[in-house]
Amino acid sequence: MQDFTITSQRRAELYHWFTALFSAPLVDDEIQEFGGYDMHAFLNSLATLDPLRDAAEAFRLQADRVLQLNQPQIELREQYQQLFDEPSLLDTSSLAPPDEESMFLMSILLHQHGTRLQDDDPLNVCNQLEMMATLALAAAETGDEQQRTALLDQQRELANQLLLNWLPAFVTACKQRDSLGFYAAAAQLLLAMFSMDIHYLNNVAQ
């Protein structure tokens, strides 16, 4: 049970981190953290996992390149706007149109658990990532086995019915449209993490 709690907390941390990367343009203080000890330790921890090593190192390289830009915040904001303003790659319906059952699932989850984001659009990439974090953390904190099982089932449904469908297309689109390479590298790292996570949910988590 302790292993499950630690794993769920770590999974929630990762989904929260990706939500923060994609939900809004990064400000200068956040960008400068890429050169700090905590960020390097975080990426080192990801790189110890074979499925994440290449993606983690590629993201580290892109983060270092951002720090070397003349105006990192301005240039990264411009890239963010090209990718995530209208038409936005954060709209999952443009990547993989969901079926009615999947839409209903996400709407129910938002109603049950809410979101820390201002936009509660069930088709928004960040809301779905944030929901994965919320469900993982709730599963870690509950002492009720039946509730924990239900929360795991919700994570599996969300991962298999929604994220699995749009995430590969999201990565491809970011690579095609991101001239800087930072968000493309972040998307690739997200996909690598998710590939591990969905295997965990489908085959390991109980």
Side-chain angles (χ1 to χ4, degrees), residues 15 18-19 22 84 88-99 102 106 121-132 157-174 186-188 190-191 193-194:
Y15 278 110
F18 282 111
T19 300
F22 290 113
F84 306 126
S88 177
L89 293 182
L90 297 179
D91 178 7
T92 62
S93 65
S94 66
L95 301 167
D99 57 32
S102 299
M106 187 59 191
D121 180 1
L123 294 177
N124 186 282
V125 164
C126 295
N127 277 330
Q128 294 186 24
L129 297 178
E130 182 73 4
M131 186 58 64
M132 288 295 292
E157 288 180 297
L158 180 54
N160 285 285
Q161 294 183 27
L162 284 168
L163 274 74
L164 184 63
N165 292 326
W166 60 257
L167 187 46
F170 178 72
V171 174
T172 299
C174 284
Q188 185 63 54
L190 169 60
L191 178 59
M193 185 278 291
F194 176 75

Side-chain angles (χ1 to χ4, degrees), residues 69-136:
L69 296 172
N70 291 328
Q71 297 178 303
Q73 182 175 346
I74 293 175
E75 294 182 57
L76 198 59
R77 176 184 289 273
E78 290 176 351
Q79 188 64 73
Y80 183 93
Q81 291 171 339
Q82 290 179 26
L83 295 171
F84 306 126
D85 282 356
E86 298 299 332
S88 177
L89 293 182
L90 297 179
D91 178 7
T92 62
S93 65
S94 66
L95 301 167
D99 57 32
E100 186 175 342
E101 181 180 354
S102 299
M103 274 289 296
F104 182 70
L105 167 66
M106 187 59 191
S107 297
I108 290 295
L109 291 176
L110 284 169
H111 178 74
Q112 289 179 340
H113 302 281
T115 175
R116 297 191 303 179
L117 303 177
Q118 293 183 346
D119 182 358
D120 61 355
D121 180 1
L123 294 177
N124 186 282
V125 164
C126 295
N127 277 330
Q128 294 186 24
L129 297 178
E130 182 73 4
M131 186 58 64
M132 288 295 292
T134 298
L135 294 170

Side-chain angles (χ1 to χ4, degrees), residues 6 43 69 143 169:
I6 294 172
L43 293 175
L69 296 172

